[in-house]
Amino acid sequence: MTANPVYNFSPGPAQLPGAVMARVQEEFLDWHGHGVSIVEMSHRSRAFTGIAEQSVRDLSALLDIPDNYKILFLQGGATHMMSMAPLNLCNGSGTADYLVTGNWSKKAAGEAARLTGMNVAATSAATNFTAIPDPAEWRLSEQPSYLYFCDNETIAGVEFQSAPELPDGYEDTVLVSDMTSNFLSRPVPVARYGLIFAGAQKNIAPAGLTIVLVREDLLGRARPDVPFLYDLKLLAEHGSMFNTPPVFNWYMAGLTFAWVREQGGVEQMHRNALLRSGKLYEFIDNNDFYSNPVAATCRSRMNVSFILADSSLDGRFLAEAAHNGLIELKGHRSVGGMRASMYNGMPETGAHTLVDFMADFAARYG
């Protein structure tokens, strides 16, 4: 008898593609007849450098990354980049502008304020981060070193629908974006950005790896006192191997890139994300038992938050959902309610199963 599937709606570490996980299991003890596991393999061996080079080619093809960008696979998490962005792009002077639309951009702005001049160009704190401020209300610095934003805020579920449109006179402003929670989920006009980074634990691989895309002309701007492992130019010069990289995570990222290409690329990932999230949003909007507080113009395709009409039923909802194989649906402690995170590894059946459960729960308790 086959066990019922479990759908993991965790915001991260998140459900990864089943085919990738099965491939890892198959290869774990003996990678391609080498007699050793990938986790035992030297990062400078011919075998691993082949894995690394192929992953760079695959990612470059998936996002159509221009030749004047470096692709880095770095240790740690995207939170490191909250420090690395100002340390590498503000050499002791200038101001960095920040759009604060949720917890992660708020945290990044706070870190930048410790390290350089920082200006909050706009914030949606007044709406409890359930919207993106109108660009007409942004107050950019006269000549910002860069404009930073988080492309998808996981806690409330707010997502930029496209790269920010900058006002006249700011066309050449460097865009810096944290794309941790929606990386590889849709096409990205990389050439419009100076720096893109993404922690792996949503759409790519286990936590502990951060992927960085940086325009070459921005390298070499770091402060002279920047720690060497925070210097993007040094890391790029050594092909992400100044020290031992997270080889297992890099290997898994490569498998995921290949899987995305086999599925039809980021264009298909985008279609899948719209189907999953659209199914859930449509149900929520047409059922008085549930509600979503986020402005319709910036609802996330990755993280769908929702609130029950009777919050005293939250515990029962979570318990019954878990009993039915729908796990990690509890909302962030700062906002409460529920949150269904549906990254690339979530099959469409997961969204359908969740909606069916929600309909049944509302019928019984509404």
Side-chain angles (χ1 to χ4, degrees):
M1 181 179 294
T2 303
N4 291 328
V6 171
Y7 296 107
N8 180 7
F9 293 93
S10 170
Q15 179 167 335
L16 294 172
V20 171
M21 298 289 280
R23 175 80 175 271
V24 172
Q25 182 183 45
E26 177 185 341
E27 297 180 346
F28 187 75
L29 293 179
D30 182 358
W31 187 82
H32 292 209
H34 281 64
V36 298
S37 171
I38 195 74
V39 299
E40 303 167 314
M41 190 179 292
S42 168
H43 60 292
R44 301 196 184 281
S45 66
R46 181 175 297 181
F48 185 76
T49 55
I51 291 172
E53 291 166 358
Q54 185 62 51
S55 69
V56 169
R57 287 193 293 269
D58 282 345
L59 180 56
S60 183
L62 282 168
L63 293 180
D64 194 21
I65 299 172
D67 292 339
N68 63 326
Y69 283 73
K70 292 293 186 183
I71 302 173
L72 308 180
F73 291 74
L74 306 182
Q75 290 183 340
T79 306
H80 285 85
M81 293 301 300
M82 294 179 185
S83 306
M84 293 173 74
L87 287 173
N88 280 269
L89 300 179
C90 296
N91 188 355
S93 62
T95 299
D97 282 3
Y98 279 70
L99 301 177
V100 178
T101 56
N103 179 72
W104 298 111
S105 49
K106 179 181 177 181
K107 186 171 292 188
E111 178 64 356
R114 291 192 328 109
L115 301 171
T116 189
M118 191 281 296
N119 169 54
V120 175
T123 178
S124 55
T127 66
N128 201 25
F129 300 123
T130 56
I132 292 175
D134 186 332
E137 300 173 357
W138 298 358
R139 296 295 178 260
L140 301 178
S141 302
E142 186 174 345
Q143 290 185 315
S145 297
Y146 59 85
L147 174 64
Y148 184 112
F149 69 103
C150 181
D151 208 36
N152 182 75
E153 292 278 4
T154 59
I155 290 179
V158 171
E159 184 176 25
F160 282 81
Q161 301 306 298
S162 60
E165 294 292 338
L166 298 174
D168 292 344
Y170 289 89
E171 293 84 358
D172 295 328
T173 297
V174 174
L175 283 182
V176 175
S177 184
D178 177 352
M179 294 190 183
T180 294
S181 51
N182 62 358
F183 194 67
L184 293 185
S185 71
R186 64 184 179 188
V188 174
V190 175
R192 291 193 57 189
Y193 297 81
L195 176 65
I196 293 171
F197 61 88
Q201 67 274 15
K202 315 288 187 179
N203 277 318
I204 308 167
L209 168 73
T210 299
I211 294 175
V212 175
L213 314 180
V214 57
R215 207 172 65 214
E216 290 178 347
D217 66 290
L218 298 176
L219 299 173
R221 297 188 183 186
R223 290 168 25 170
D225 61 344
V226 65
F228 54 30
L229 283 178
Y230 275 46
D231 185 343
L232 291 175
K233 182 174 186 291
L234 181 69
L235 297 170
E237 288 173 345
H238 287 81
S240 304
M241 295 190 187
F242 181 75
N243 64 333
T244 305
V247 293
F248 179 71
N249 307 57
W250 195 335
Y251 150 77
M252 279 199 69
L255 294 182
T256 300
F257 299 158
W259 175 82
V260 172
R261 294 192 72 180
E262 291 166 1
Q263 301 306 304
V266 292
E267 295 82 4
Q268 186 60 48
M269 295 299 102
H270 181 44
R271 288 190 285 270
N272 293 348
L274 290 174
L275 286 172
R276 289 189 300 262
S277 61
K279 173 82 174 176
L280 188 47
Y281 283 125
E282 180 181 17
F283 173 76
I284 291 169
D285 290 342
N286 289 284
N287 191 305
D288 292 339
F289 192 81
Y290 304 98
S291 61
N292 172 272
V294 177
T297 55
C298 57
R299 284 175 165 178
S300 171
R301 299 163 304 126
M302 302 284 102
N303 312 96
V304 179
S305 61
F306 57 95
I307 300 168
L308 275 63
D310 182 356
S311 61
S312 69
L313 292 170
D314 285 3
R316 180 169 293 182
F317 179 93
L318 291 168
E320 292 193 16
H323 181 73
N324 284 274
L326 304 166
I327 65 172
E328 301 292 341
L329 283 164
K330 186 176 182 179
H332 191 271
R333 60 186 178 275
S334 65
V335 296
M338 308 298 158
R339 172 176 50 172
S341 297
M342 299 179 291
Y343 302 112
N344 287 352
M346 175 64 68
E348 189 179 346
T349 53
H352 286 282
T353 304
L354 175 58
V355 166
D356 289 344
F357 167 76
M358 291 171 64
D360 176 70
F361 190 88
R364 288 186 288 116
Y365 296 106

